[in-house]
């Protein structure tokens, strides 16, 4: 059980830090604005996604109910898969389209160890 806790907190911390940094960059980095234009997304989507990421980080780290936790994991999953698709279809070179799947694997480690620790069913 202790191993699961360690893996859970390391994986969760990596995701939380990465998403926090990502949200910060969306608000402050001109390159991120250019990247969203490169994808063909409207400028307001960058701000909406940054806010959603910050909310997700809070819900991921806070002791909230399992339903909110599940939606948080689902939202981050959609974010990573969508990022990989956006990078791939916009012609970004390898390994850029693969990097979101690396974070998806870390998110999966957090998700599965969360359920092991809390002894709840995944279904």
């Amino acid at each position: 059980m202790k191993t699961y806790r360690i893996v859970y907190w390391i994986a969760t911390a990596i995701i939380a830090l990465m998403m926090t940094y990502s949200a910060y960059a969306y608000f402050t980095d001109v390159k991120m604005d250019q990247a969203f234009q490169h994808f063909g997304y409207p400028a307001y989507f960058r701000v909406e996604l940054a806010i959603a990421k910050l909310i997700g980080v809070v819900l991921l780290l806070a002791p909230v109910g399992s339903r909110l936790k599940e939606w948080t994991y689902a939202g981050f999953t959609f974010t990573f898969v969508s990022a990989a698709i956006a990078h791939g279809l916009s012609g970004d070179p390898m390994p850029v389209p693969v990097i979101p799947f690396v974070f998806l694997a870390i998110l999966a480690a957090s998700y599965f160890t969360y359920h092991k620790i809390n002894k709840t069913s995944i279904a």
Side-chain angles (χ1 to χ4, degrees), residues 34-82:
Q34 294 167 349
F36 273 73
Q37 289 176 13
H38 169 69
F39 295 143
Y41 296 146
Y44 63 83
F45 182 63
R46 177 178 47 84
V47 175
E48 290 176 352
L49 191 56
I51 292 168
K53 285 182 177 191
L54 292 174
I55 293 169
V57 167
V58 169
L59 292 174
L60 191 64
L61 296 174
V64 296
S66 62
R67 181 166 289 182
L68 275 176
K69 203 67 96 167
E70 291 290 328
W71 277 104
T72 302
Y73 280 112
F76 283 154
T77 299
F78 297 144
T79 300
F80 292 138
V81 171
S82 296

Side-chain angles (χ1 to χ4, degrees), residues 71-120:
W71 277 104
T72 302
Y73 280 112
F76 283 154
T77 299
F78 297 144
T79 300
F80 292 138
V81 171
S82 296
I85 292 169
H87 284 290
L89 294 179
S90 69
D92 288 346
M94 285 297 177
V96 175
V98 176
I99 293 171
F101 288 116
V102 172
F103 285 104
L104 182 61
I106 296 169
L107 181 71
S110 172
Y111 178 79
F112 289 113
T113 54
Y114 168 75
H115 283 287
K116 288 282 189 183
I117 291 167
N118 293 305
K119 296 184 178 147
T120 58

